[in-house]
Amino acid sequence: FSLDGAGLGEARAEGRMVLAKEFRIAMPISVEEYRIGQLYMVSKHSNQNTSKGEGVEVLRNEPCEDEVHGAGQYTEKRVHAGSSLPSWLRAIIPRIFYVTEKAWNYYPYTITEYSCSFIPRFHVKVLTRYENNKGDNEDALQADRKGVKMEVDHIDILDDEVPEKHRHHCPDLSKFKSEKTGRGPLEAGWKEASTPIMCSYKIVEASFEVWGLQTRVERYVHKVVRDVLLVAHVQAFGWIDEWFGMSMEDLREYERKQQQEANAKLKKSRKGASEGDEEAAASEPASAPASASASAAASAAVAAKSASSASAPAAVAESLEALALEGDAPAHPQGKEKDPVEGLVV
């Protein structure tokens, strides 16, 4: 297995360090069971987080073949999540931006890649291996770590705190008991006592080659990924009675219905937003007030320059000076930021 992917191998070849972390998430489920559980969780989670023009739009979901890994499933999605970004990043990215997710699922090994519609040199790559153990394999992915800062982060689905915004979608695993399997509630030391038990090993690499924002964005990406992984794996076990016993045919039918619902919600909300924009444009004065904020001006400049993808990184860099005038003022009431990007399930 190699970490070299779109943009990442090139970055290492040029001598640039790439921020990478290994996440390990144990669950009281077997690898064989999780093949259905993972797909069910991703599909349901994506649909739940699709609303108001934001969420996951499924473009492709089809079988694929690889000489090394054999038969698998390829999916391509667009994740629309502009308002879920922090204010400092949202200020320089147009409303129309989206993240493209491409995933090759050769279970129990998967590859997931993310790129941004607005920043051509933004890449995230996730390598995953599922194994029937509690997370004590020190080299499950046999990764080439040359030139990569690697930190191992153990995520605990019982003890780690789920982000507040997602708690209503996540069962309390200290109280949850599966009716179908009899597993749960989880208690202190559950990893040692659980049978079966498995671990999701994930290496996440982030590369964002824009001067002035590189370190900040790469760290933000890893925070987003950690939150998403915690929520996703809590849900996978907490929803076990919904998917346990499903066949692959049942699962594919469930996916199809969830995709249709999510795409329909996005289409409907976009239509409403488009009509609203037209009404707003008709009522706007001929010229903007001279007191327009620096961040708004910077965003407009970046949006205009983003018509050419080659100039996008330069446009972002040029906007930093204007954005610095306002600092990191929160854009939400009571100074609260929205939670990180929803919809990404790596």
Side-chain angles (χ1 to χ4, degrees):
F1 303 109
S2 172
L3 291 176
D4 291 345
L8 301 179
E10 175 186 344
R12 197 155 35 251
E14 295 176 5
R16 299 192 301 277
M17 294 296 289
V18 178
L19 187 61
K21 289 184 74 172
E22 178 179 342
F23 296 94
R24 300 180 189 177
I25 316 99
M27 290 187 296
I29 300 171
S30 72
V31 170
E32 294 72 26
E33 292 168 345
Y34 191 54
R35 182 167 195 172
I36 296 292
Q38 177 221 17
L39 296 172
Y40 180 92
M41 173 270 296
V42 169
S43 187
K44 180 175 179 177
H45 180 96
S46 297
N47 193 9
Q48 280 185 341
N49 289 289
T50 298
S51 64
K52 299 180 180 179
E54 299 188 357
V56 180
E57 177 184 12
V58 180
L59 303 179
R60 297 173 65 183
N61 185 4
E62 60 197 32
C64 62
E65 192 80 24
D66 181 81
E67 292 182 0
V68 176
H69 304 296
Q73 192 78 5
Y74 171 75
T75 58
E76 183 174 340
K77 306 173 184 177
R78 285 181 180 175
V79 182
H80 303 265
S83 70
S84 295
L85 294 172
S87 60
W88 61 268
L89 187 54
R90 190 168 56 251
I92 58 171
I93 291 181
R95 285 176 55 192
I96 60 173
F97 110 102
Y98 58 84
V99 171
T100 297
E101 175 196 281
K102 297 181 179 180
W104 294 263
N105 189 340
Y106 304 105
Y107 199 84
Y109 172 66
T110 67
I111 306 167
T112 311
E113 295 180 353
Y114 297 96
S115 59
C116 183
S117 59
F118 180 63
I119 309 295
R121 295 186 72 79
F122 166 75
H123 304 281
V124 177
K125 184 170 184 178
V126 185
L127 300 181
T128 303
R129 164 72 71 179
Y130 304 110
E131 294 187 351
N132 284 317
N133 56 54
K134 60 186 178 182
D136 50 7
N137 184 346
E138 295 305 319
D139 200 12
L141 286 164
Q142 304 172 18
D144 172 14
R145 303 184 182 188
K146 183 180 180 181
V148 179
K149 297 177 182 178
M150 188 67 68
E151 173 188 343
V152 176
D153 186 346
H154 291 266
I155 297 176
D156 193 312
I157 61 173
L158 174 64
D159 293 333
D160 289 1
E161 186 176 2
V162 172
E164 182 178 356
K165 185 174 182 180
H166 297 285
R167 288 175 192 165
H168 65 291
H169 283 314
C170 293
D172 183 346
L173 300 187
S174 68
K175 300 176 181 178
F176 169 76
K177 183 176 179 65
S178 167
E179 294 182 1
K180 288 187 176 180
T181 67
R183 300 171 202 171
L186 300 186
E187 300 176 347
W190 68 270
K191 293 181 186 178
E192 304 299 329
S194 294
T195 302
I197 189 165
M198 64 159 286
C199 182
S200 298
Y201 293 87
K202 293 178 178 285
I203 290 181
V204 180
E205 265 200 4
S207 176
F208 186 76
E209 299 166 32
V210 177
W211 177 85
L213 283 177
Q214 181 172 356
T215 300
R216 194 172 191 180
V217 170
E218 289 177 353
R219 287 177 179 171
Y220 171 71
V221 167
H222 281 285
K223 179 186 183 301
V224 170
V225 168
R226 194 188 198 284
D227 287 346
V228 168
L229 289 176
L230 173 59
V231 170
H233 287 77
V234 168
Q235 290 176 337
F237 178 55
W239 294 341
I240 190 170
D241 286 345
E242 299 178 27
W243 57 261
F244 191 82
M246 290 180 74
S247 66
M248 187 57 71
E249 291 72 21
D250 295 334
L251 187 281
R252 294 303 179 200
E253 178 62 19
Y254 177 81
E255 284 182 324
R256 185 186 64 79
K257 291 180 179 179
Q258 293 290 306
Q259 290 165 14
Q260 288 178 342
E261 289 181 16
N263 289 354
K265 284 193 284 187
L266 279 172
K267 185 177 181 180
K268 181 179 180 180
S269 57
R270 282 182 194 154
K271 182 179 179 180
S274 178
E275 293 173 350
D277 288 344
E278 290 176 1
E279 292 177 4
S283 62
E284 283 182 357
S287 59
S291 61
S293 70
S295 63
S299 296
V302 174
K305 291 187 179 185
S306 69
S308 170
S309 61
S311 67
V316 173
E318 290 173 14
S319 73
L320 291 176
E321 183 176 354
L323 291 170
L325 298 176
E326 289 194 319
D328 238 357
H332 298 285
Q334 292 83 46
K336 292 182 179 180
E337 286 287 358
K338 282 195 173 185
D339 279 352
V341 177
E342 298 173 339
L344 300 179
V345 182
V346 292

